[in-house]
């Protein structure tokens, strides 16, 4: 007969530190003990902490952001054994729903300090800042960034299957090589290598836990062989993702839920981070990696995304010439950074601070495109801002008519107590 | 009373070489003589040659691509004086229509030889290739890439106002610096500096022409201060672009019309290049650069773009790890290249050659996004392929059901006669 | 500081009959006692029974549909006093979310017996039938209509403010006049007049309850002055509706939640009916009826609707010529009925029964348009079917290629035990 | 090798009256001589007059509308023989493009006098009026309805294959029956029966022409068996329509080109009527009527339609209660009329006349939906107005903030010289 309510395969406990909950873990490693088993075809709910495990509070100070311990993150739910999964299979992951907890209708986005996580614009905005977002059904708004309100394209930042021991070794090899050879590594972190500090490996204890601490891959980067922290805003309700399986049972993990995110998630903790519940249905394509020739995840977005109409997307351009006028060679990173800076310059005239806009571009449903990438020496990127997320008119036509706009009082985001 | 037919402000002549037509030019320079004058508020048609000025033929050989003379390009129509425009203004450019000539219902896209233009994947595909596209109203199809057919999002690749002498000098300074300092400059072109060879400066003759040849900026790159060859596929019918004015009269030029282009235009001559007619209406925002604080072009796309539904976009991911397994630091270029390669691998199974897909990704309305750019060391990019442009089913679900698909006979793109 | 969880202004009790719960009512009347008070600007949850108050079960028989007592329906939650609302105001109702109960992840749609409710095609399909739909996050599927699966555009069928005594009298007058003068009234119900039987007036008892029974307007029809049962599928998450206020406190009620509905809701109980929770935020426009000149509700849909792409909507046409070949005069009802019948004929070839498709067109996100209404004597209507809700290809191109399709085994909807 | 320019299968001559051009006709009849032959798979251009054959001028008087001779219309281009077509086949018609003539960049929409054509609201607006629209690429605007500008969803109002003699007889039978039995026929035209006056049957002369005049079906109504004047706004560029074939060679005709139309085309000559060029490709599905079970046309819209985003559609509701307060039984016509009147009331506050809005709703891309059609006695219909076609803000939120809006000077549409 009819199915009953959807089974909850994993529950989180807000009365207990994340690091004491056995169904969470903060490294990628094949030996982290599975926390539950799920059948293909079965719909299940999985509860998730926010990515920091609760380090960030719903308040008006960014001190918690500045002091956030990044060796602890991300707290992922899992790993889950998918029955019958074997190396070489593809795991088909359908996201049926994602929701915040009814009792925690809020999230946060943050600029991390340049010396603790940083972000895409940390040269320009090196100090920590934060915005809290309140959820009202599908919408969100922030007391720290007044004047905007939008529907979230809710999604998990991280999904992936555990690496095999061989794959894990390869990850460590290539990231270590980068750290050892990159000239930039002297002035900033270029990769985060395995780190025993604050390791949390679910139910693992003793030597197993220590081993995972020594070997386990950090969860910050997405990686091509399994996805992981890819931070793709379109992996929302209704999406179907094909993930490569590397170990028996797949050992699937999920976390880092986002109420909304802009393309690039530029302020690092840029999405609206939240704790919540995600509903999945899994299926297996046996031997799918060979049959489909897939080495990286592939997905189909769901059919329901916020629609603004192309004519409502105010779109900015950026090229591979940096703020000092230096010409770079087809560098998309430089171009996208310039694009972001152009938006910030433009929106400041309405009364926002640079930090507010930096946060907004990170979390609102902005579209970041690679427009042209072959016209030496300039790559061109674009960022489209949906004008309808603002409750005032930001169009250039209106702004010009108003002689360039009188700035409004648009409040302030949360800063640190020792801000200079 | 009612307006009559729209005035044609510039006509091209297919019976005459591009380099003999005084209303065309192939460098950016403030001294190129204006070819016509246009009033703000007036709708005008402007005819354009294809970007090469007719060097590429509607045939089945890529020899013309291999031998294409890149010192000649792009042939732009203009410059046009916009009455009343002064430095500091913003020129508002509304594109009312773009169309191929009725008597030339075809276009081309091409892979350029690694030693003559190259492209985003020129390590993988170093030899010239070509596809001819036939236009059937809003649709196009190619005898060189059977099995696909799509509606074009038609647009100009290049629009911009002439640089001032100061701006031109700055362009040359920074691009020269790149050429002189980039280690890569030893093995490939990293920028194209002013080049007197094949200079065409409209009606300019003698010393003026020689001066423009010595000083004029090449048209290949887009540049932040004026737009130029930005190759943004969404600058289609109905779009409104705000362009900075740098000289009296604006001296606006346009060219490089594209029937369709994918995000990135990855094969360099990747859009479906065509000759055609573009209809504009101009408006001026006096002192707009200061009033609006705009240093680079900004635009609003038009309201009519092909709509496929998000659930019909098969989307691939790529990260900053290259094909040799080398880890790069947040490099979007590497990530986007990997994304493209993933699509090529996937679509090959249906029977296409790598070159066919490389061409297809360059010209079809694919969506290339910067997904995540802060999770060290991996940037993540995505490319979404609209499945409905194919006349067979490319979905992974169907492909898996068919055991991985039997390759079809999907013909061949055009190659050079001396292909190795 | 930050708001806490959203307050639940009304809870339903599944352990108690609907008719014993004081916060529900099944007639429109100004004297039904208010069940709770809500402030403008406050977000609240309101729980709702399904429209029948639980008369229809999750099983495989349509006997409960056949025997459904329509004097009992609809059970609405409310009325709610909106603080400060006065006659002449407009109540702005933002729907922030609508969701089924986690413990009841299913709904139903039904064909009602011609002699008990009927429906748009009750000449053709006079007997009761039913389909149960299971919810999987934003998607639903039915064991009674295999081969389809779609995302719901979830919404309430009924929202409205209580009528004033004068408005109520006008409703009764005009509907009584119809019953008394319509020739059709001899062969079928043409309107449902006030009916004391099964009256439920919330907390009202004794003479007040009897009075409401004698006078209260039935909830079946929507009505222009307040909305009510308008069954508009687009009043989903994020929509904002302007409702006229007729009594002090507005006395707003809501119910008849739908997981999904097609334009027309043609089988009467055609939407996917469910119990659930709706989240609102209210605002008041004082004297809004005069200021805005609004006599009927007006709304803005929300930004997130399922998007299929226009090219994926297989669209059928119908005209004002009925199945017996009789010509009617610009009759949209006849045209829309013919349109529906055309879809049924077409989809039957895949193996569905007429009842299955009739149910499907009622509840799936089909688009029903008035195409032309002035070309005497034929009105033309269209119905667009999103092809992507089917897990097989229904396109005519494929069907023709297959020689007209071999019917599949597509099961059966639920019928009555005494079906002839 | 490559195809050349698209062949023009039919040219119109603006220097000659429509009734003297042999490739046009204004009745449906199987014996009208074919004007040209077209191969399946061949793309062809077909030129069309406007539907009146040039009776309406680009001027500021509606006298020509008042005096328009409706026995002359519509002037259709054709009939065209499609090679190989036989009765029982389906003709697949792909519209590749539709465009106005470059030398006639304008169109008209009109309210017809109640005694000469009438319209959906001819009780409320009985006198003739007109608006001229100027085309600027994909956009149009009108000096008679200032403040709006929109992209056209360009399409033919009429496409169809010739009826067989038997089908023609059936049309005449049922329409004659309506005229003879409808009580309404005493006060207004309810159908237009065959009419020899002003008959134009292409190259037919003498007795054949006289016979066609006696028997030929009028072109005003669409009809279920062949489509005809269905006035469906979505049959635009890229659409594919399946049309039943009734005679050898199909004898396909087309005309009544519309630059844009709203759902319902409510003012009768409500679309923006124009002369222009349509590009087709035909294909045949042999025996398709039986194979696909299709008795009426079916279509797939093209992929490019104006997109406004659902949240930008201000939507009005109407029910089956007329302006005198009379209750009708599930009458969609009454409901849709009320919906239109609600929009007119609302928009008048900005300064438009009723006629201007009546014209605007007829031709702008408004969405008219059948929302609910089963809740006795009230059908509910909606009309969605894209707010972005106005160059001022029509949202109720802004209007309320402005205390109900101060009317602007929005000019006037064209009226007759004898207007009372």
């Amino acid at each position: 007969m009819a199915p009953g309510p959807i089974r909850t395969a994993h529950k989180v406990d807000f009365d207990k530190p994340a690091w004491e909950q056995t169904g969470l873990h903060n490294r990628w490693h094949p030996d982290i003990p599975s926390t539950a088993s799920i059948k293909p075809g079965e719909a299940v709910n999985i509860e998730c902490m926010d990515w920091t495990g609760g380090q960030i509070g719903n308040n008006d100070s960014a001190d918690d952001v500045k002091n956030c311990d990044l060796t602890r993150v991300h707290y992922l739910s899992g790993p889950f054994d998918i029955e019958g999964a074997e190396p070489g299979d593809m795991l088909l992951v359908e996201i049926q729903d994602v929701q915040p907890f009814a009792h925690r209708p809020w999230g946060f986005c943050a600029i991390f300090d340049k010396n603790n996580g940083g972000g895409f614009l940390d040269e320009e905005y090196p100090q920590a800042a934060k915005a809290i977002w309140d959820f009202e059904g599908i919408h969100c708004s922030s007391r720290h960034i007044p004047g905007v309100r939008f529907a979230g394209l809710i999604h998990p930042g991280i999904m992936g299957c555990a690496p095999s021991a061989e794959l894990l070794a390869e990850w460590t090899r290539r990231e270590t090589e980068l750290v050892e050879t990159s000239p930039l590594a002297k002035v900033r972190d270029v990769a985060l290598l395995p780190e025993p500090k604050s390791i949390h490996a679910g139910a693992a204890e003793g030597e197993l836990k220590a081993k995972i601490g020594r070997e386990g891959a950090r969860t910050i980067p997405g990686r091509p062989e399994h996805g992981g922290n890819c931070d793709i805003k379109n992996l929302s309700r209704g999406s179907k993702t094909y993930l490569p399986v590397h170990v028996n049972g797949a050992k699937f993990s999920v976390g880092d839920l986002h109420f909304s995110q802009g393309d690039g998630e530029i302020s690092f903790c840029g999405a609206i981070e939240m704790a919540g519940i995600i509903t999945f249905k899994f299926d297996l394509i046996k031997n799918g990696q060979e049959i489909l020739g897939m080495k990286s995840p592939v997905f189909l977005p769901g059919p329901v995304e916020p629609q603004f109409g192309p004519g409502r997307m105010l779109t900015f351009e950026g090229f591979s010439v940096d703020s000092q006028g230096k010409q770079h060679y087809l560098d998309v990173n430089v171009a996208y950074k310039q694009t972001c800076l152009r938006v910030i310059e433009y929106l400041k005239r309405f009364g926002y601070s640079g930090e507010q806009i930096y946060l907004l571009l990170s979390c609102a449903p902005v579209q970041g495109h690679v427009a042209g990438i072959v016209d030496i020496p300039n790559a061109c990127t674009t960022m489209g801002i949906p004008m309808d997320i603002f409750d005032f008119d930001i169009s250039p036509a209106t702004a010009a008519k108003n002689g360039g706009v009188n700035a409004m009082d648009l409040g302030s985001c949360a800063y640190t107590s020792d801000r200079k």
Side-chain angles (χ1 to χ4, degrees), chain A residues 88 114 187 190 192 232 267 285 329 336 349 353 399 412:
Chain A
K114 201 189 159 191
V187 294
V190 295
L192 299 172
I232 298 171
S267 82
I285 299 167
Y329 173 70
Y336 199 59
R349 74 191 45 251
S353 69
S412 167

Side-chain angles (χ1 to χ4, degrees), chain A residues 129-392:
Chain A
K130 184 171 83 174
I132 300 295
W133 294 85
D134 297 311
F135 306 150
E136 294 186 324
I138 63 166
H139 286 107
C140 62
S141 61
S142 172
R143 65 186 181 268
H144 296 123
I145 309 177
V148 292
R149 188 160 186 267
F150 49 87
L153 183 60
I154 199 165
H155 64 274
I158 299 182
M159 292 192 298
C161 298
S164 64
E166 296 70 30
L167 179 55
L168 181 61
E170 167 61 10
W171 290 354
T172 303
R173 181 202 63 74
R174 71 189 182 207
E175 293 176 21
T176 303
E177 184 183 81
L178 174 69
V179 171
E180 291 174 348
T181 60
S182 168
L184 199 59
K186 284 167 195 144
V187 294
R188 64 181 306 154
D189 285 336
V190 295
L192 299 172
L193 300 179
E195 167 60 68
K197 179 167 179 286
S198 303
I199 165 75
H200 181 44
E205 296 290 347
E207 172 49 26
L208 176 58
K209 183 172 179 179
K211 175 174 187 261
I212 295 169
R214 286 191 306 271
E215 299 176 354
R218 303 293 292 274
T219 59
I220 292 286
R223 292 181 180 93
E225 297 87 350
H226 85 142
N229 190 23
C230 50
D231 286 326
I232 298 171
K233 73 181 193 307
N234 308 84
L235 291 174
S236 187
R237 293 162 167 156
S239 65
K240 294 182 181 180
T241 305
Y242 294 78
L243 291 177
V245 173
H246 300 288
V247 300
N248 281 325
K251 289 198 164 181
F252 173 84
S253 297
V254 62
D256 191 25
L257 302 189
H258 296 164
F259 190 83
S260 177
Q261 186 203 295
D263 275 339
E265 205 200 2
I266 59 171
S267 82
F268 177 57
C269 172
I272 300 179
E273 311 285 346
M274 66 174 208
I277 309 161
I278 185 164
T279 310
F280 285 113
K281 187 158 77 176
F282 298 97
D283 206 352
L284 281 175
I285 299 167
K286 297 303 297 178
N287 198 26
Q289 294 175 46
E290 184 181 323
I291 289 178
L292 296 172
M294 284 178 178
K295 300 174 183 165
S296 286
V298 173
F299 67 92
L300 288 161
V304 279
E305 299 194 343
Q307 302 172 60
F308 297 103
R312 301 293 296 169
M313 300 298 286
L314 182 60
T315 310
F316 295 77
E317 304 175 10
F319 298 83
S320 307
V321 178
D322 69 22
S323 297
Q324 283 69 47
K326 184 175 173 193
Q327 179 70 58
H328 297 256
Y329 173 70
L330 289 185
D331 193 315
V332 174
N333 293 57
V334 171
Y336 199 59
K337 188 173 290 189
Q338 289 301 308
T339 312
C340 296
L341 292 172
R342 290 294 185 270
V343 186
I344 292 175
E345 285 158 22
Y346 182 79
L347 289 177
K348 270 183 170 175
R349 74 191 45 251
F350 296 97
Y352 289 116
S353 69
E355 285 83 1
Q356 285 177 309
I357 309 168
Y358 183 17
L359 286 165
L360 182 62
L361 301 186
S362 304
C363 68
V366 304
Q367 306 281 340
H369 283 248
V370 175
I373 201 167
V374 290
D375 298 317
I376 58 170
N378 274 324
C380 174
T381 59
T382 60
M383 181 179 269
I385 311 296
M387 297 196 295
D388 295 327
I389 69 172
F390 294 87
D391 61 22
F392 51 93

Side-chain angles (χ1 to χ4, degrees), chain A residues 86-161:
Chain A
E86 295 170 296
D89 295 345
M90 296 296 286
L91 180 66
L92 175 50
V93 181
E94 184 184 88
I95 298 179
Q96 303 201 327
D97 206 354
V98 191
Q99 297 201 55
F101 288 100
H103 57 85
R104 300 178 79 85
W106 62 276
F108 60 94
C109 66
I111 300 169
F112 266 59
D113 191 282
K114 201 189 159 191
N115 296 315
N116 185 36
F120 191 51
L121 305 179
D122 57 15
E123 299 292 333
E124 292 81 1
Y125 299 101
Q127 298 188 65
K130 184 171 83 174
I132 300 295
W133 294 85
D134 297 311
F135 306 150
E136 294 186 324
I138 63 166
H139 286 107
C140 62
S141 61
S142 172
R143 65 186 181 268
H144 296 123
I145 309 177
V148 292
R149 188 160 186 267
F150 49 87
L153 183 60
I154 199 165
H155 64 274
I158 299 182
M159 292 192 298
C161 298

